[in-house]
Amino acid sequence: MGSAGYDNIKIAVRDLTKLFSNNSHNLHALEAINLEVGEGEFFCLLGPSGCGKSTLLNIMAGFEKPTAGKVLIGGEEIKAPNPRYVTVFQDYGIFPWRTVQENVEFGLEIKGVNGSERENIAKEFIKLVGLCGFEKRHPYELSGGMKQRVSLARALAVNPEIIFMDEPFGAVDALTRMKLQEELVKIWGKENKTIIFVTHDIDEAIYLGDRIAVMTPVPGKIKSILEVTMSRPRIRTGSDFLGIKEKIYSEFFGLEKCQQKVKL
Ligand SMILES: Nc1ncnc2c1ncn2[C@@H]1O[C@H](COP(=O)(O)OP(=O)(O)OP(=O)(O)O)[C@@H](O)[C@H]1O
Ligand SMILES: [Mg+2]
């Protein structure tokens, strides 16, 4: 049995360290990171700004090299980005000169999928993210939440095994964000992808994750990994939800402070 009940380990991070060096100083961004993500798992990396979440995600996705240690995906060391895994960035990463349809088709073009098949696959994912009718629009005509959906549709359209997401809902308002989280959970439920999701939002991590790695800064370390066993869709105001929230607060601030806060 793999991590947290998963039969197959999809990603393994082993003794990972990252040091950024320039002429004047070194910055110890990550130290002794060890974790395993199961195939089909929704895994969240949660921590404050600057704790190394993006650095860790970028190393896992092959965009950045570790100083020491390694990342294995499907048992093989990852040394460069691989088209079987996609990354959704906070700034959407969509092309302003392409329409919604053309943006969603982009990864399929790279894969060499032919015109009509490409069109049909893109349409299917545009529908899945609720953007029917917007196929011919350009990004400047869309809201932030809609652009985020385009970015998600483009990622899903290439049928990746893993989706790396770096604060993808950071730029949208709280209500739209909740809607996008709901949609993402539904899509993940249908598509059975492995998702690594970076966030600094505690509620977001509890709503989405099977497990949450709590990170602390300078250097970035994994303080603990919490399992969220609540069934989905999760009730954000339910006592189980709030119980996990209290646990996470106590990881960040210490149990005593956390209980004082809760009593207030
Ligand atoms: N290319 C780089 N060169 C030097 N230092 C860097 C580089 N990239 C990141 N850092 C430093 O590494 C640390 C971790 O940065 P990282 O972007 O991973 O944090 P983060 O947890 O994603 O923060 P945020 O939530 O604000 O996005 C920070 O102190 C940052 O200044
Ligand atoms: Mg970041």
Side-chain angles (χ1 to χ4, degrees):
M1 192 61 83
S3 62
Y6 280 82
D7 291 330
N8 297 315
I9 294 170
K10 187 73 181 169
I11 307 173
V13 178
R14 304 277 186 234
D15 300 320
L16 199 88
T17 294
K18 179 69 184 182
L19 214 63
F20 287 112
S21 305
N22 64 24
N23 300 337
S24 56
H25 66 283
N26 291 331
L27 190 127
H28 202 161
L30 296 171
E31 188 176 88
I33 307 284
N34 280 289
L35 55 90
E36 286 172 350
V37 179
E39 187 161 11
E41 184 172 11
F42 202 129
F43 191 90
C44 291
L45 290 171
L46 172 72
S49 183
C51 75
K53 303 179 296 296
S54 296
T55 305
L56 178 54
L57 191 88
N58 288 336
I59 294 174
M60 288 167 93
F63 291 113
E64 187 110 47
K65 297 231 176 312
T67 307
K70 59 187 170 187
V71 176
L72 304 166
I73 298 188
E76 277 183 32
E77 188 171 350
I78 180 110
K79 295 194 167 154
N82 185 317
R84 276 156 53 207
Y85 326 124
V86 294
T87 306
V88 178
F89 297 102
Q90 181 170 3
D91 62 359
Y92 323 120
I94 55 178
F95 303 119
W97 61 89
R98 286 182 163 229
T99 63
V100 168
Q101 176 81 28
E102 288 162 353
N103 263 292
V104 178
E105 283 188 28
F106 174 73
L108 298 163
E109 279 171 37
I110 303 288
K111 266 179 109 178
V113 179
N114 77 45
S116 61
E117 192 186 347
R118 205 166 65 208
E119 200 177 308
N120 291 337
I121 296 173
K123 282 208 163 24
E124 182 192 324
F125 285 96
I126 288 170
K127 188 173 170 207
L128 190 70
V129 299
L131 283 179
C132 282
F134 292 91
E135 291 84 350
K136 295 202 169 75
R137 303 287 183 91
H138 284 82
Y140 72 88
E141 300 172 278
L142 306 176
S143 71
M146 290 159 90
K147 280 186 255 196
Q148 199 56 69
R149 288 192 180 106
V150 176
S151 182
L152 184 59
R154 189 177 69 176
L156 289 165
V158 294
N159 194 21
E161 295 165 23
I162 304 173
I163 307 178
F164 294 100
M165 305 182 91
D166 191 354
E167 308 224 25
F169 307 147
V172 296
D173 68 272
L175 292 175
T176 308
R177 188 174 180 137
M178 282 193 252
K179 184 94 186 81
L180 289 169
Q181 290 162 359
E182 277 170 35
E183 283 167 9
L184 181 61
V185 166
K186 275 190 206 150
I187 291 168
W188 169 77
K190 272 190 222 155
E191 298 276 321
N192 192 35
K193 307 287 180 206
T194 304
I195 298 184
I196 314 295
F197 191 102
V198 161
T199 182
H200 58 251
D201 181 328
I202 296 177
D203 284 60
E204 182 164 73
I206 303 172
Y207 186 80
L208 296 172
D210 287 323
R211 286 188 303 150
I212 302 169
V214 174
M215 292 184 68
T216 51
V218 201
K221 286 186 182 156
I222 306 280
K223 178 133 195 271
S224 57
I225 298 183
L226 304 176
E227 200 171 341
V228 187
T229 52
M230 269 181 287
S231 58
R232 294 181 173 92
R234 294 176 175 159
I235 313 297
R236 297 171 201 265
T237 49
S239 57
D240 291 358
F241 200 101
L242 298 176
I244 295 172
K245 200 164 168 177
E246 186 177 340
K247 234 191 221 173
I248 294 176
Y249 272 118
S250 73
E251 289 294 328
F252 285 124
F253 306 115
L255 189 60
E256 225 169 83
K257 256 191 184 166
C258 165
Q259 283 173 343
Q260 281 168 7
K261 271 190 183 160
V262 171
K263 275 182 201 153
L264 281 173

